[in-house]
């Protein structure tokens, strides 16, 4: 298998973090330079079907994009430790939090960076108001996470799951535009510190 990766981008980092948590080392990593447009070549588009990373080439016919789909596939090959749930209730709760984090934390923060950081002007026609609105959405989402993390050690349950990897990689990425959860989000800060000291947090960074 080959993982098409890009070192500074947050979505491939989800997969690298996930692989490190599971100790997966037998996948070839291919670096794709987004700023040189290597994800837009006809060859890459034919293989991946979409101009983005990560992409996991499984065999000659199948390449999976979408970081969460890639991680689900890897979880089925390497089931331990578990990141997507051990029973129907846990699986649903993890899915619920993963979706909330993707839509309410990861997407707004990604838009805040794409529309707010000068380097990303190479990939996006930037609209400052889009950056500001998305940043405000992310601030609201931090309140939701803070409420949840007041009740639970990690986002979905009492251990690290996919939901935590999605949230931590997004919040860490948004440091590029000086995003930081507000000081009073004490449970978010406690959780984020616990996430960022995990060895997998520095996988491939
Ligand atoms: N939903 C996709 C998002 C993939 C994505 O947006 N990747 C970014 C890097 S983090 C990308 O390839 N961007 C290329 C571009 O915008 O031209 C996933 O989770 O994998």
């Amino acid at each position: 298998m080959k993982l098409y990766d890009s070192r500074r981008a947050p979505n491939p980092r989800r997969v690298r973090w996930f692989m490190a948590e599971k100790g997966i080392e037998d996948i070839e990593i291919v670096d794709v330079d987004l700023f040189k447009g290597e994800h837009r070549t006809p060859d890459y588009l034919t293989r991946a079907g979409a101009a983005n990373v990560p992409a996991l080439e499984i065999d000659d016919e199948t390449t999976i994009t979408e970081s969460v789909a890639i991680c689900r596939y890897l979880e089925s090959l390497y089931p331990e430790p578990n990141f997507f749930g051990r029973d129907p209730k846990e699986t649903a709760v993890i899915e619920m939090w993963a979706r909330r984090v993707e839509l309410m934390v990861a997407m707004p923060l990604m838009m805040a960076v794409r529309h707010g950081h000068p380097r990303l002007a190479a990939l996006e026609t930037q609209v400052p108001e889009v950056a500001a609105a998305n940043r405000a959405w992310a601030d609201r989402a931090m309140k939701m996470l803070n409420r949840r993390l007041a009740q639970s050690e990690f986002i979905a349950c009492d251990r690290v799951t996919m939901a935590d990897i999605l949230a931590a990689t997004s919040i860490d990425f948004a440091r590029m535009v000086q995003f930081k959860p507000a000081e009073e989000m004490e449970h978010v800060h406690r959780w984020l510190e616990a996430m960022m000291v995990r060895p997998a947090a520095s996988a491939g960074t």
Side-chain angles (χ1 to χ4, degrees):
M1 284 192 283
K2 273 188 199 168
L3 178 71
Y4 293 86
D5 181 27
S6 191
R7 284 295 142 127
R8 295 214 184 99
N11 292 300
R13 187 183 181 194
R14 297 167 168 185
V15 179
R16 291 201 306 276
W17 184 318
F18 185 83
M19 285 168 54
E21 294 278 2
K22 285 190 180 270
I24 302 172
E25 288 175 352
D26 55 351
I27 296 178
E28 185 189 342
I29 308 279
V30 180
D31 194 52
V32 177
D33 190 331
L34 301 181
F35 293 98
K36 286 190 182 153
E38 289 176 358
H39 59 312
R40 297 188 189 281
T41 63
D43 184 46
Y44 188 85
L45 285 174
T46 303
R47 182 184 297 120
N52 55 41
V53 285
L56 181 70
E57 189 179 292
I58 295 174
D59 55 34
D60 286 349
E61 277 128 46
T62 311
T63 296
I64 307 175
T65 59
E66 295 301 324
S67 49
V68 178
I70 292 170
C71 292
R72 275 192 190 280
Y73 177 72
L74 294 177
E75 174 116 329
S76 64
L77 298 184
Y78 306 81
E80 294 298 334
N82 174 285
F83 286 84
F84 281 97
R86 295 191 186 283
D87 58 47
K89 177 172 141 185
E90 197 183 76
T91 303
V93 171
I94 294 170
E95 177 73 16
M96 173 183 84
W97 279 106
R99 295 281 295 157
R100 284 180 178 171
V101 166
E102 281 242 65
L103 296 170
M104 296 157 84
V105 178
M107 185 59 79
L109 287 176
M110 193 264 281
M111 295 295 275
V113 176
R114 280 186 82 97
H115 285 269
H117 192 281
R119 190 163 158 75
L120 274 292
L123 298 177
E124 189 66 67
T125 306
Q126 294 182 316
V127 180
E129 291 78 8
V130 172
N134 277 280
R135 207 179 166 111
W137 282 321
D139 279 330
R140 285 198 291 277
M142 290 303 111
K143 294 182 187 161
M144 171 191 72
L145 280 190
N146 200 53
R147 279 194 303 275
R148 173 59 179 168
L149 289 164
Q151 308 163 334
S152 179
E153 187 177 354
F154 293 100
I155 293 176
C157 57
D158 61 359
R159 65 173 196 282
V160 172
T161 70
M162 196 65 215
D164 298 287
I165 296 175
L166 297 175
T169 48
S170 301
I171 295 170
D172 197 47
F173 175 61
R175 286 190 301 131
M176 276 180 80
V177 288
Q178 285 76 48
F179 177 84
K180 207 172 151 222
E183 212 53 57
E184 61 271 27
M185 301 296 131
E186 56 182 293
H187 304 290
V188 174
H189 285 287
R190 181 264 306 156
W191 159 86
L192 192 56
E193 275 167 35
M195 289 300 291
M196 297 316 296
V197 297
R198 296 178 75 79
S202 52
T205 55

